[in-house]
């Protein structure tokens, strides 16, 4: 219909065509249009699209298309937060929302004999703990708190044990790779990992 559920303004042509563009990047089965999303504890809303990239290259392309279409962008991990921050707020937004769910980016690469681990954004902290316990007989994260919900390392470590509670947990974020939107609307990949293996940084 060209009319969005979040507000009283018709979508632009770019916004109308965005779901199809996202399908072209990640595949049709990884894009859900008009997705009704509910938080694990509170919050509920409808997203123009919920998209699940399967690689970092796809995630960057998805972000670029969303920025170009001028939609609200919500990065989502396991949707296990208690504040409802990973679901749309339709009545409080003047634009349609796209959720970029990062759960498919679940690669874990232990380095330095398991002393450190390179985790993609969708890795669950419980899954990480299980892997390091099995392969190196060591813990990866505090066993307290929300680990049983298996939130992603991007949230549970970067913003939890390794962020606001860095002195409480044994895990922390040493280096990271992330995207930022520049003033001209382009997307820049910022890589502080320091890994030079000669390969494709997005594989």
């Amino acid at each position: 219909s060209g009319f969005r559920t979040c507000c009283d303004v018709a979508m632009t042509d770019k916004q109308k065509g965005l779901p199809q563009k996202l399908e072209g990047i990640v595949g049709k089965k990884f894009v859900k249009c008009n997705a009704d999303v509910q938080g694990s504890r509170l919050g509920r809303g409808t997203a123009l699209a919920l998209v699940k990239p399967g690689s970092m290259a796809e995630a960057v392309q998805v972000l670029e298309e969303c920025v170009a279409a001028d939609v609200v962008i919500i990065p989502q991990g396991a949707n296990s937060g208690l504040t409802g921050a990973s679901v749309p707020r339709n009545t409080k937004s003047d634009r349609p929302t796209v959720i970029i769910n990062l759960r498919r980016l679940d690669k874990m690469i232990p380095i330095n004999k398991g002393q450190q681990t390179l985790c993609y954004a969708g890795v669950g902290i419980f899954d990480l703990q299980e892997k390091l316990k099995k392969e190196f007989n060591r813990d990866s994260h505090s066993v307290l708190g929300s680990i049983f919900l298996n939130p992603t390392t991007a949230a549970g470590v970067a913003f939890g044990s390794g962020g606001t509670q860095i002195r409480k947990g044994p895990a922390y974020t040493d280096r990271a790779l992330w995207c930022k939107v520049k003033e001209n609307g382009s997307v820049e990949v910022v890589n502080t990992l320091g890994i030079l293996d000669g390969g494709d940084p997005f594989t």
Side-chain angles (χ1 to χ4, degrees), residues 36-164:
D36 181 35
V37 184
Q38 185 168 351
S40 61
R41 184 176 179 181
L42 54 85
R44 183 172 184 174
T46 301
L48 174 66
L50 188 155
V51 55
K52 299 179 178 181
S55 69
M56 287 196 291
E58 288 183 359
V60 172
Q61 292 178 55
V62 165
L63 179 58
E64 289 174 335
E65 291 294 344
C66 289
V67 171
D70 192 29
V71 295
V72 174
I73 302 166
I74 299 179
Q76 185 188 76
N79 191 22
S80 59
L82 302 179
T83 64
S86 60
V87 298
R89 292 289 191 270
N90 298 141
T91 59
K92 299 182 182 298
S93 177
D94 62 349
R95 295 172 289 160
T97 298
V98 171
I99 297 173
I100 304 178
N101 182 284
L102 302 171
R103 203 57 158 160
R104 291 179 64 208
L105 304 180
D106 59 358
K107 188 181 293 185
M108 293 177 270
I109 307 173
I111 54 180
N112 297 333
K113 297 182 179 181
Q115 295 299 306
Q116 295 174 296
T117 307
L118 174 62
C119 293
Y120 283 40
V123 172
I125 60 175
F126 181 81
D127 296 332
L128 175 62
Q129 183 185 60
E130 290 288 288
K131 181 179 179 67
L132 293 186
K133 185 70 174 178
K134 179 179 179 181
E135 298 184 10
F136 300 99
N137 193 32
R138 65 188 308 263
D139 288 329
S140 65
H141 194 276
S142 172
V143 296
L144 302 175
S146 61
I147 190 171
F148 70 94
L149 295 173
N150 203 25
T152 59
T153 55
V157 176
F159 302 125
S161 174
T164 59

Side-chain angles (χ1 to χ4, degrees), residues 8-26:
D8 296 328
V9 182
M11 290 189 291
T12 66
D13 289 339
K14 282 189 176 182
Q15 291 166 350
K16 292 177 185 178
L18 182 58
Q20 186 175 2
K21 285 195 172 185
L22 299 180
E23 290 174 356
I25 296 171
V26 304

